[in-house]
Amino acid sequence: DAGVIQSPRHEVTEMGQEVTLRCKPISGHDYLFWYRQTMMRGLELLIYFNNNVPIDDSGMPEDRFSAKMPNASFSTLKIQPSEPRDSAVYFCASSFLLSGSPGYTFGSGTRLTVV
Amino acid sequence: QQQVKQSPQSLIVQKGGISIINCAYENTAFDYFPWYQQFPGKGPALLIAIRPDVSEKKEGRFTISFNKSAKQFSLHIMDSQPGDSATYFCAARDNYGQNFVFGPGTRLSVLP
């Protein structure tokens, strides 16, 4: 299995632009999570899905952030408009509820820089 | 109540020494406690995990010790190696959901 695949690996954009981050979870996993990592705040859960349905989006910072999961193999996190304070590493992770070891598998992340 | 506290923030250990990272929690509904290891430029990777019905779990040089009454758990890395230099996160999951709460992380440096 190729693991959780995120794209792009790096994104540099200007303030006010729309940014779309992409994630392909591990096949068969029924949960998908979006996390943001910064030095100041550590790993923050933004939103998670179960069977493509958003379950908890209370971590989404504000209306500028939105996430979708149109099918079991693809999810996007969109920021519109982007701001410098959105600069962070964004991780996608997936898991399988009925696994004997229900830990997450993280992707390699997207490093977002908003200038 | 949902927090997981982790210490120390950073740790420097000589090669061959023992690295110890501690975590504490309040929520008694937590039922699964993994540790993640993160190298620069990579996502966190599951290292070892424990459930509260056991007091210790060992995998190679890595051991989790769990104290249910004190609501504390710790990661011990025996014979620490420079390749262990990474950031370590403890985490906890409550039995009502699938999401995890992560500690703030410990940056470990193992000197050659």
Side-chain angles (χ1 to χ4, degrees):
Chain A
D1 197 323
V4 176
I5 300 173
Q6 290 188 246
S7 64
R9 288 298 312 275
H10 302 273
E11 177 80 37
V12 180
T13 191
E14 292 186 348
M15 182 174 64
Q17 295 297 306
E18 177 180 295
V19 176
T20 299
L21 311 181
R22 297 172 176 79
C23 175
K24 176 179 169 55
I26 290 175
S27 177
H29 280 192
D30 52 355
Y31 279 82
L32 183 139
F33 306 82
W34 282 100
Y35 277 85
R36 179 171 66 177
Q37 186 177 40
T38 60
M39 289 294 292
M40 291 295 294
R41 301 174 69 91
L43 277 164
E44 299 176 277
L45 176 65
L46 300 178
I47 184 171
Y48 76 96
F49 296 82
N50 175 219
N51 292 323
N52 314 336
V53 177
I55 302 300
D56 184 353
D57 66 354
S58 59
M60 297 286 261
E62 47 199 275
D63 291 346
R64 298 184 297 106
F65 286 69
S66 63
K68 294 181 180 180
M69 192 166 185
N71 57 61
S73 59
F74 184 66
S75 178
T76 59
L77 178 67
K78 185 177 293 186
I79 308 173
Q80 164 65 18
S82 58
E83 297 183 3
R85 58 193 169 120
D86 302 330
S87 297
V89 181
Y90 291 81
F91 288 104
C92 175
S94 68
S95 70
F96 179 49
L97 176 62
L98 297 181
S99 166
S101 299
Y104 296 167
T105 301
F106 282 85
S108 295
T110 295
R111 181 174 294 275
L112 173 65
T113 303
V114 183
V115 298
Chain B
Q1 183 108 13
Q2 279 294 97
Q3 272 189 322
V4 175
K5 297 179 181 179
Q6 183 173 348
S7 63
Q9 187 175 13
S10 62
L11 181 61
I12 299 175
V13 174
Q14 293 286 338
K15 179 181 175 181
I18 302 174
S19 304
I20 301 175
I21 304 170
N22 301 299
C23 286
Y25 63 97
E26 289 295 325
N27 187 349
T28 55
F30 287 151
D31 70 341
Y32 184 73
F33 301 87
W35 285 88
Y36 285 82
Q37 179 188 55
Q38 184 180 26
F39 293 106
K42 301 291 186 183
L46 182 63
L47 184 64
I48 186 173
I50 197 168
R51 296 187 185 275
D53 52 347
V54 299
S55 60
E56 185 175 283
K57 183 174 182 180
K58 183 176 181 180
E59 291 184 1
R61 297 184 294 109
F62 300 90
T63 299
I64 300 178
S65 297
F66 189 85
N67 186 330
K68 188 174 182 178
S69 60
K71 291 184 281 188
Q72 296 175 347
F73 58 110
S74 59
L75 176 69
H76 296 235
I77 306 174
M78 311 300 287
D79 186 25
S80 299
Q81 299 296 312
D84 297 330
S85 298
T87 300
Y88 293 81
F89 296 91
C90 61
R93 184 195 71 171
D94 72 52
N95 53 16
Y96 297 107
Q98 180 67 351
N99 59 310
F100 287 81
V101 178
F102 285 85
T106 296
R107 179 172 290 186
L108 171 65
S109 297
V110 181
L111 304 179

